[in-house]
Amino acid sequence: MKSLLATNKYFWKYKWLVFGGGLFIFFSNYFSVYPAQSLRDAIDAVVEYVSNEQTDNLIYIKLLWFTGMIIGFSLLRGIFMFLMRQTLIVMSRRIENDMKNEIFHHYQRLSASFYKKNNTGDLMNRISEDVSRVRMYTGPALMYALNTLFTFILIIGAMFKVNATLTWYVIIPLPLLSVLMYFVNDIINRKSEAIQEQLSNLTSFVQESISGIRLVKSFAREPAMRSKMEDQIMDYRKKQLSLAKTDALYFPVNLFLIGMSTLITIYIGGVQYISGKGSLGNIAEFVFYVNMLTWPVSSLGWVTAIIQRASASQKRINEFLDTSSEIEYKPGNDFIFKKEILLEDVSFIYPDSGIIALKNINLKLQKGKVIGVTGATGSGKTSLAQLLLRIYNTTSGSIMADGVGIEKYNLQQYRRQFGYVSQDVFLFSEQIKNNIAFADEAHIGIERIEESAKKAAVYENIMEFEEQFETMIGERGITLSGGQKQRISIARALAKDPSILVFDDCLSAVDAITEKEILGELKKVIHDKTALIISHRVSSVQLADEIIVLHHGEIVERGTHEELLNNGGYYADISQRQQQEDF
Ligand SMILES: Nc1ncnc2c1ncn2[C@@H]1O[C@H](COP(=O)(O)OP(=O)(O)OP(=O)(O)O)[C@@H](O)[C@H]1O
Ligand SMILES: [Mg+2]
């Protein structure tokens, strides 16, 4: 329950809606008492008319009057109920919206290591499922709890005023109803959750088998997939049927207990009437009250179950909101790259796995210069690039940009200086031009987009598509080849016109001629920039001013292409082998 205190700030934000909602609930209940009283008066008037053998026509006017009252009050009640939903349910939707924004904002700030620890499905769930459960608390649960409170005060108050003894008898079965409803709701909730979970298993299964359909077909695994699907659906059906059974209990239990209260009313009321206490109208009035109490009382159990679920969800949300990123977005100096970035004795151990990725790296990235990085797979090349962009903090040693430690700079501003092409290309399912202009869609115009595409040697390819730069890519559009994707991601980095370019193995899927073309373009723009080119291929790094070779996280060779060839080490070795492959 304590975790739900976190929602109080929202109630405070929408305090006028809470207040208005409370007021409307009060009035809707206030007017609900009167129809019962009019009913009593109408019945008593008829009884009197019949027993006194009156013959005037006044009774018809009276009955019309009472009917009018009942309709009028019911109408008023309805209006206030409408207003109550309009305030409280609307408020809960706004809170839901605020919460989603808050969570998404937090997602964007958390560091790469957070995303390694949590799986995507779980993170998606918090922003969708968990938030909607909390909404059930801030909206419907709050509304029905207040409603129950006012109904109790007003209706039971009215009942006691009319006939205290009868009231006591009538309300005896009600707590039992509440408790029973709580248990029934609890079971329903648990079963619905199991169904939800199974449904998401089912959806991911279908989704994966659709995205992996080519693999499935090429391995001829269709029958196996079908039988897995049948199992999943069977499980889903079983859970649905079990819920249906509990659901079926809901109304009978409710009706049974209400029936009990009604019976008690008629019996005790009848006995009292015979012994001269109370009127026939009273009995009708009480039956009316009992029916009005049904929903509030059974909703009490419902509300409790909802609050429990919401509090579990809010706890999960809080846990996550309390996670802070070890790489903070705090205000810092602005960074405009002027001279150099210096890595001094940098070592890096992945915090979660303990893998030593880099050891004692000393490296200088100077303006106008290109650094090449090569080395076997797993030698730490990508890790180096990520440290440079401050995706992770170094474990020891320092990275100084223009003489200042990079952690002193404003993080976003610092990263904006970079054009990073990562090893695993990711493109959004959008138009090509939006992907290239990703760095700043508002300011990167079509000319710059086309120019970057030309530099990345992908312009011709794009022009061959029917819709050219407006071509949709990804699930809703065309599928690009590996090399096309890489070059679009290079264009995306170039369109930003950054001061520091970091290419992580992004020429691996292009042919030798295209590679030369792209590197030639890079040479042209490099004079007021710097670049770090990571590659397995000698041809990609050979033009660099300095090449470093990494081995198990350490720099084992460094120098220019010629120097390294003369060295006769790893570099000379792979250079020779790659040349042979080319022929
Ligand atoms: N996010 C991570 N969490 C934990 N360990 C990691 C992570 N990324 C990489 N590693 C480990 O760090 C080491 C260096 O990996 P890195 O990705 O830097 O190599 P690489 O030189 O880029 O390799 P490749 O040429 O295959 O891209 C490897 O042993 C790898 O298993
Ligand atoms: Mg890598």
Side-chain angles (χ1 to χ4, degrees):
M1 274 298 286
K2 237 205 261 160
S3 53
L4 284 175
L5 290 178
T7 52
N8 284 358
K9 64 172 182 226
Y10 296 117
F11 288 134
W12 183 246
K13 181 174 173 192
Y14 298 112
K15 51 186 176 293
W16 293 113
L17 286 177
V18 179
F19 179 73
L23 218 61
F24 294 141
I25 294 178
F26 175 81
F27 281 117
S28 87
N29 279 296
Y30 184 77
F31 291 117
S32 70
V33 178
Y34 288 102
Q37 291 176 356
S38 300
L39 180 71
R40 173 194 67 201
D41 295 343
I43 290 181
D44 286 346
V46 173
V47 170
E48 197 189 313
Y49 179 79
V50 174
S51 55
N52 292 353
E53 293 181 18
Q54 291 167 333
T55 45
D56 54 35
N57 282 337
L58 202 64
I59 183 70
Y60 298 111
I61 295 167
K62 269 191 186 170
L63 280 183
L64 266 180
W65 167 250
F66 289 132
T67 314
M69 294 272 279
I70 291 175
I71 293 174
F73 284 123
S74 301
L75 217 65
L76 273 175
R77 180 177 179 215
I79 290 170
F80 280 106
M81 267 172 104
F82 171 78
L83 290 174
M84 136 191 130
R85 295 191 71 88
Q86 274 298 302
T87 42
L88 290 178
I89 301 298
V90 163
M91 173 187 77
S92 74
R93 289 289 178 198
R94 287 198 193 167
I95 292 181
E96 181 185 25
N97 199 49
D98 291 350
M99 284 182 79
K100 283 191 173 168
N101 275 329
E102 188 185 354
I103 293 175
F104 189 72
H105 187 64
H106 199 67
Y107 274 152
Q108 303 265 293
R109 296 169 75 102
L110 286 169
S111 66
S113 43
F114 171 83
Y115 284 98
K116 275 209 63 201
K117 273 183 247 150
N118 295 281
N119 70 33
T120 319
D122 188 41
L123 296 177
M124 299 281 280
N125 256 337
R126 290 191 203 200
I127 204 163
S128 54
E129 281 297 308
D130 283 334
V131 170
S132 61
R133 281 190 204 153
V134 175
R135 187 196 78 83
M136 288 301 283
Y137 157 72
T138 59
L142 176 77
M143 185 171 84
Y144 288 121
L146 282 175
N147 191 45
T148 304
L149 182 77
F150 288 133
T151 314
F152 259 76
I153 296 175
L154 291 166
I155 294 190
I156 299 207
M159 286 165 84
F160 268 111
K161 240 187 345 202
V162 177
N163 190 336
T165 333
L166 190 54
T167 309
W168 280 118
Y169 281 110
V170 170
I171 60 180
I172 284 170
L174 296 183
L176 192 64
L177 174 63
S178 228
V179 172
L180 265 175
M181 281 300 122
Y182 168 73
F183 284 114
V184 173
N185 272 305
D186 194 46
I187 297 172
I188 290 180
N189 282 343
R190 257 185 290 141
K191 290 191 173 167
S192 324
E193 252 154 60
I195 288 175
Q196 272 302 327
E197 204 182 302
Q198 182 52 24
L199 187 63
S200 72
N201 286 343
L202 195 73
T203 334
S204 351
F205 180 78
V206 174
Q207 197 189 352
E208 281 205 349
S209 44
I210 290 173
S211 9
I213 190 75
R214 283 190 234 175
L215 183 74
V216 173
K217 282 185 188 292
S218 63
F219 274 67
R221 292 296 285 164
E222 295 97 325
M225 296 301 273
R226 201 162 48 227
S227 87
K228 273 192 198 164
M229 181 69 186
E230 273 163 17
D231 291 347
Q232 297 265 7
I233 288 186
M234 195 50 103
D235 192 21
Y236 182 68
R237 190 183 85 174
K238 224 169 58 200
K239 288 181 171 144
Q240 280 284 15
L241 289 182
S242 146
L243 175 68
K245 258 187 225 148
T246 320
D247 258 343
L249 264 179
Y250 196 91
F251 283 102
V253 170
N254 219 326
L255 285 177
F256 174 70
L257 286 158
I258 289 309
M260 292 281 286
S261 276
T262 312
L263 273 181
I264 293 174
T265 311
I266 293 173
Y267 179 73
I268 305 281
V271 170
Q272 285 192 338
Y273 178 68
I274 290 168
S275 65
K277 268 184 272 173
S279 67
L280 276 182
N282 277 157
I283 299 177
E285 181 186 8
F286 265 63
V287 170
F288 206 103
Y289 288 143
V290 166
N291 278 295
M292 274 198 304
L293 281 176
T294 325
W295 168 238
V297 169
S298 58
S299 80
L300 214 58
W302 181 77
V303 165
T304 324
I306 287 208
I307 291 179
Q308 271 183 349
R309 262 158 52 107
S311 112
S313 285
Q314 184 66 45
K315 198 167 147 205
R316 272 198 293 274
I317 295 173
N318 289 349
E319 255 168 31
F320 148 80
L321 285 180
D322 291 341
T323 315
S324 58
S325 170
E326 67 270 17
I327 298 178
E328 284 173 67
Y329 281 70
K330 53 185 178 202
N333 306 344
D334 279 357
F335 173 58
I336 308 282
F337 181 67
K338 291 197 194 72
K339 233 173 95 207
E340 60 181 26
I341 296 185
L342 207 60
L343 283 82
E344 287 176 336
D345 268 334
V346 169
S347 296
F348 178 58
I349 302 173
Y350 276 99
D352 37 354
S353 63
I355 290 175
I356 304 171
L358 292 168
K359 270 184 268 180
N360 304 326
I361 303 290
N362 286 291
L363 187 66
K364 184 148 101 181
L365 274 87
Q366 251 180 318
K367 193 170 197 168
K369 295 270 156 52
V370 179
I371 299 282
V373 182
T374 187
T377 157
S379 58
K381 302 182 296 295
T382 300
S383 310
L384 181 68
Q386 299 205 327
L387 286 189
L388 209 57
L389 271 119
R390 228 184 137 213
I391 307 281
Y392 292 97
N393 283 331
T394 59
T395 310
S396 67
S398 62
I399 304 181
M400 315 282 278
D402 288 338
V404 179
I406 57 170
E407 61 291 340
K408 299 249 164 49
Y409 291 114
N410 173 304
L411 183 62
Q412 280 182 302
Q413 225 277 330
Y414 174 75
R415 284 187 187 152
R416 278 196 196 113
Q417 297 291 307
F418 287 85
Y420 178 44
V421 186
S422 62
Q423 190 169 13
D424 43 343
V425 177
F426 180 83
L427 298 173
F428 290 97
S429 303
E430 279 200 50
Q431 293 181 349
I432 291 179
K433 63 171 192 200
N434 291 346
N435 268 291
I436 296 181
F438 178 66
D440 189 355
E441 277 161 40
H443 293 105
I444 297 178
I446 189 71
E447 279 151 42
R448 191 137 125 223
I449 292 173
E450 286 179 4
E451 192 192 310
S452 314
K454 279 179 194 157
K455 281 186 194 156
V458 69
Y459 182 78
E460 303 294 327
N461 287 136
I462 297 173
M463 294 313 274
E464 276 166 22
F465 299 139
E466 208 168 294
E467 286 167 78
Q468 302 179 339
F469 278 85
E470 260 121 57
T471 311
M472 291 292 291
I473 45 184
E475 280 189 353
R476 288 183 290 153
I478 59 159
T479 308
L480 296 171
S481 78
Q484 286 166 343
K485 277 191 214 157
Q486 277 194 337
R487 279 173 289 150
I488 287 180
S489 72
I490 294 173
R492 173 170 65 191
L494 293 175
K496 200 178 169 187
D497 195 23
S499 308
I500 307 150
L501 282 159
V502 178
F503 283 5
D504 190 354
D505 212 15
C506 60
L507 298 168
S508 62
V510 299
D511 58 72
I513 297 166
T514 317
E515 180 185 20
K516 248 206 184 96
E517 195 182 328
I518 297 172
L519 290 171
E521 287 294 334
L522 190 67
K523 266 280 173 210
K524 280 189 222 158
V525 293
I526 203 68
H527 54 92
D528 63 341
K529 301 178 194 308
T530 185
L532 186 85
I533 298 179
I534 298 171
S535 179
H536 287 119
R537 291 221 299 248
V538 168
S539 54
S540 290
V541 294
Q542 63 183 0
L543 297 171
D545 298 289
E546 186 188 15
I547 301 163
I548 60 169
V549 179
L550 288 176
H551 181 67
H552 290 312
E554 281 177 295
I555 300 181
V556 287
E557 291 170 43
R558 69 193 310 161
T560 60
H561 178 65
E562 279 71 32
E563 285 166 356
L564 289 180
L565 284 186
N566 293 335
N567 247 359
Y570 172 86
Y571 187 84
D573 188 33
I574 55 161
S575 170
Q576 203 184 10
R577 276 192 229 179
Q578 286 175 6
Q579 260 169 9
Q580 281 167 355
E581 275 168 22
D582 282 349
F583 293 110

